[in-house]
DNA sequence: TGATAAAATGTAAGCGCTTACATTGCCCTC
DNA sequence: GAGGGCAATGTAAGCGCTTACATTTTATCA
C-alpha cells in the first residue's frame, strides 16, 4: 500500500521493547501513561523510541483501544463560507485536544448525507457533528445502535430533544422580520434555499410568517421562492419575484449569498436599494459588509459555534455523557439595504 | 467510549458468519470481492449482514488490511475560499472512490503544519495532500520513511522534483504584470502575504519582478509590503503604500482578499480605481467579480485542481506509483480595476 | 527485621479483520 | 470413469497494540 521499498523498516512496539529491554506493556505504558513507569525505564524506552523513529500503528491502536481519536463532520459544502468558517474553528479546537477531523459533505442532498454519515462511522469516527436536525429517524437509530455520540449544529430548536449547539433560526428571522415590518413593509417576499430536509431554511421562512402574524397580517401574503444556493440563483429569484409580484417592497433572503444575488438583480433592473426595494440577508458573511449597498443581515457567531461544538464532543468522549444543548445568540446587523417601504 | 449501554450488541464478522453458517473468510470475501463467492452463499451472507446491521470494525480492518482508505490534507485554512473550493472538489472525488478525507489546517504556520502532518500520518492517512513546496526537508524525509505518498497542490514549479498538481504562480503573475506594465505603469507596488515558507506568494512577487526586468525596468523599483491575509490588512497595506510611495500607479496584490481591502482603502482615501490607481488581485474568487469596481485578477481552476489532486492520490494508492506533475493553466480576467497609468 | 502495602514490570489474552494455504466438490476431457 | 483443473469454501495465522491480572521489586512501618 505504499511505494516504499523499505517497508520492513517500520518499527513496532515489540522492536522498541526489545531494544529497551522491557516488555511491550511497559513501552505502551510509557507512551500512554508515563507516570505509571519508573523514571529511568521511561528514559530508556523513550531513547529507543527515538532511535527507531517509532510511531504507533494506527489500526492496531484503534483496534485495541476501541477508539480512533477521530471526530467526523458532515456538512452541506465547504464552499459555503458559513460552514468553512465554523468548521475551521471546529477543527482547531479538536486539534488542540489531540483529535482529528474526518470531513465529508452532502451537497445538501439527504441521501448523500446518509451515505457520508455511514462512511464516517465506518471509518471509525468516535463521534459526529451534523448540521441541522432534519434527517431520517433511521439514521439516528443507526447512530445510536453504533453508539456514536452525535451533536447537531447550526440549529437550536427548544422543541427538539437532541443535543444541539446552535441558534434559533426561526426566532432570529422573526426578529429581523419585525424590523422589516416596522419600516412599513407589508408586501414581503422571501427567497429561500430548498426547505425540504433543511430545518434551518424552513425555520427562517417560518420566522417571517410569525412576524406577519404578530403584526396582524396574513402570513400567506408572503411570497416564497425556493431556489438552490448561489448568487446567480438569487438574481434569478429576484427577477421572478418582481415579475410575479411587482408590489413587493422588501425581499428577505434566507442567506447572504442569495441576498447579494438579489442586490445585483435589483441594480440590473434599475431598482434602487433600499429606496425602491429593501433586501435582507442572513449569516453575515464577509460579502454582506462588502456589498453595495451594505447588506442588512443577521449575524451568526459561526466560529464560536464551531468551537463550542468541538468542546461538547470532546466532553462526551471523555465523560460519556452529552451536555445540554446550547443556544447561541444572533444579532441583527442593521446596514443600508433595509429602508422604509416606498409609498404604493 | 460511548454512552451506549447496549455496547455488546455491535455485531462482528464472526456473528455474521455463524448466522449465515459460513466461515468468517467467506463473509469477508462477500464484502470485499463478492465475485469470488457463490451466488446463493453471497445472498445468504448479505441477508445476515442486513439482519444484524453489521458494519466492519475500522481498527480491525485497518490493522489487517494495512490501509485505512483515508487520505489526509493539510491546508492553511478553510476560511480562505480558495482552499475551501479546491478541497470541496477534492473531497467529492475522494468520496466517489470510497476514500475519506482527514483534514487539518496550519494557519500558515510552518511548525503547526509539521505537527498536523505528523498527526495525520499517525491517524493512518494512506496518502497526503499538501499545499505548496516550501517545507523542512526533514518532513519530506519523515513522509518517505513512513511510506506515505505525498502530493503538492496549488503550486507547480518545473524546477522542483516532487510531484505536484498546480499552476505556475510565478508565470501567472508575470503575465498579469506584463499587462499592467503595458498600460504604462512603472511605479508598481505589491501587497503580499508573508513569503516565508510560502512559495506561492513568493513566486507571485517574483513574477512581477520578472516582468519589470523584461520591460527593461529595475525590479528593485517594486515596493513590497508584506501583511497577513485579510481585507483589513489589505486596507492597511494600501494606506502604507500610498503614504510611503505616493507615486505608485498600480498595486498588484497576491490574492483577491488583499485586493478587495486595497479597493476599499482607495475609496476611503478618495482615490478612483482605476483612474487614479489600478489594483489587481489573484485567484478569482467570488468577491473579485462582486467588488466595485470589478477586480482584474488571475483566474485559477481551484475545483479542477482539487479533483485532479484526488485522482492522482487515488492512482498512487492503486498502482503504487505516483504520476507526473500536472500544470494547470491560469487565465487573466481583465475587468475594471486595471486601467492606464495616470500621468505623473 | 520481618510483614505488608505499594509501585514497577511482565505475561499473555484478546481486539475483529484479511489472506495464504488447505480442502472439498464438481465439471470436463479423453 | 479416472484424472486434472478450477471454483467455492474453510482453517488458522497473524496484523500491532492495550490491558487485566500475575509477579517481582521497593518502600514503609511497627
Amino acid at each position: 500500500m505504499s511505494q516504499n521499498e523499505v517497508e520492513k523498516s517500520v518499527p513496532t512496539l515489540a522492536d522498541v521493547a526489545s531494544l529497551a529491554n522491557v516488555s511491550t506493556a511497559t513501552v505502551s505504558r510509557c507512551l500512554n501513561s508515563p507516570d505509571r513507569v519508573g523514571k529511568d525505564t521511561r528514559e530508556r524506552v523513550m531513547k529507543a523510541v527515538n532511535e527507531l523513529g517509532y510511531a504507533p500503528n494506527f489500526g492496531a491502536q484503534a483496534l485495541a483501544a476501541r477508539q480512533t481519536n477521530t471526530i467526523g463532520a458532515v456538512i452541506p459544502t465547504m464552499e459555503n463560507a458559513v460552514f468553512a468558517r465554523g468548521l475551521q474553528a471546529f477543527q482547531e479546537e479538536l486539534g488542540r485536544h489531540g483529535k482529528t477531523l474526518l470531513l465529508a459533505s452532502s451537497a445538501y442532498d439527504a441521501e448523500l448525507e446518509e451515505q457520508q454519515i455511514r462512511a464516517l462511522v465506518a471509518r471509525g469516527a468516535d463521534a459526529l457533528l451534523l448540521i441541522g436536525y432534519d434527517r431520517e429517524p433511521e439514521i439516528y437509530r443507526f447512530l445510536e445502535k453504533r453508539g456514536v455520540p452525535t451533536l447537531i449544529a447550526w440549529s437550536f430548536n427548544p422543541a427538539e430533544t437532541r443535543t444541539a449547539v446552535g441558534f434559533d433560526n426561526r426566532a432570529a428571522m422573526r426578529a429581523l422580520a419585525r424590523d422589516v415590518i416596522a419600516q412599513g413593509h407589508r408586501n414581503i417576499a422571501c427567497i429561500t434555499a430548498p426547505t425540504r430536509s433543511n430545518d434551518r431554511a424552513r425555520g427562517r421562512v417560518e420566522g417571517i410568517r410569525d412576524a406577519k402574524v404578530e403584526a396582524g397580517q396574513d402570513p400567506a401574503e408572503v411570497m416564497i421562492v425556493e431556489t438552490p444556493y448561489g448568487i446567480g440563483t438569487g438574481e434569478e429569484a429576484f427577477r421572478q419575484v418582481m415579475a410575479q409580484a411587482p408590489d413587493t417592497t422588501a425581499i428577505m433572503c434566507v442567506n447572504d449569498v442569495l441576498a447579494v444575488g438579489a442586490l445585483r438583480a435589483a441594480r440590473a433592473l434599475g431598482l434602487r436599494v433600499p429606496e425602491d426595494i429593501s433586501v435582507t440577508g442572513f449569516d453575515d458573511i464577509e460579502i454582506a459588509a462588502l456589498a453595495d449597498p451594505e447588506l442588512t443581515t443577521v449575524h451568526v457567531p459561526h466560529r464560536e459555534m464551531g468551537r463550542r461544538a468541538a468542546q461538547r464532543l470532546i466532553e462526551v468522549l471523555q465523560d460519556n455523557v452529552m451536555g445540554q444543548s446550547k443556544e447561541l445568540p444572533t444579532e441583527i446587523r442593521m446596514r443600508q439595504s433595509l429602508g422604509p417601504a416606498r409609498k404604493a
Side-chain angles (χ1 to χ4, degrees), chain A residues 20 52 74 82 118 134 137 139 163 175-176 187 296 312 318 335:
Chain A
L52 294 172
V74 182
V82 152
R118 289 180 189 277
D134 273 16
I139 304 178
T163 306
L176 180 58
N187 295 321
T296 291
R312 266 289 188 297
Q318 230 163 56
R335 292 198 271 244

Side-chain angles (χ1 to χ4, degrees), chain A residues 35-189:
Chain A
D35 37 307
R36 301 192 48 229
V37 170
K39 181 154 171 287
D40 41 346
T41 318
R42 194 188 324 145
E43 279 165 2
R44 193 150 32 93
V45 169
M46 286 322 216
K47 186 163 155 265
V49 165
N50 290 325
E51 206 159 302
L52 294 172
Y54 169 79
N57 173 290
F58 177 66
Q61 195 167 280
L63 177 57
R66 287 99 197 304
Q67 85 173 82
T68 60
N69 283 318
T70 266
I71 290 184
V74 182
I75 59 168
T77 167
M78 285 170 253
E79 291 196 55
N80 186 143
V82 152
F83 298 119
R85 199 180 268 190
L87 261 209
Q88 176 63 35
F90 183 73
Q91 187 266 319
E92 285 170 10
E93 188 68 19
L94 290 187
R96 229 168 269 137
H97 295 268
K99 308 285 179 191
T100 311
L101 173 63
L102 262 179
L103 186 58
S105 63
S106 69
Y108 294 98
D109 175 326
E111 201 168 321
L112 225 191
E113 194 207 28
E114 171 165 1
Q115 274 179 233
Q116 303 287 357
I117 290 173
R118 289 180 189 277
L120 294 195
V121 170
R123 287 291 174 280
D126 288 336
L128 234 45
L129 180 74
L130 262 23
I131 308 301
Y133 297 97
D134 273 16
R135 200 158 283 116
E136 295 295 328
E138 187 198 337
I139 304 178
Y140 286 119
R141 253 180 273 124
F142 166 76
L143 257 12
E144 236 155 86
K145 173 151 191 215
R146 299 284 307 219
V148 178
T150 301
L151 181 66
I152 307 299
W154 265 267
S155 271
F156 172 88
N157 181 344
E160 296 268 2
T161 55
R162 333 203 77 88
T163 306
V165 168
F167 55 97
D168 189 328
N169 286 276
R170 184 168 180 169
M173 191 62 135
R174 180 164 51 218
L176 180 58
R178 276 185 199 134
D179 287 345
V180 170
I181 291 172
Q183 297 265 15
H185 295 279
R186 172 165 198 133
N187 295 321
I188 299 174

Side-chain angles (χ1 to χ4, degrees), chain A residues 251-268:
Chain A
I251 298 198
M252 301 188 69
C253 304
V254 301
N255 63 55
D256 288 345
V257 169
L258 289 172
V260 166
L263 246 27
R264 282 170 69 90
R267 173 177 301 183

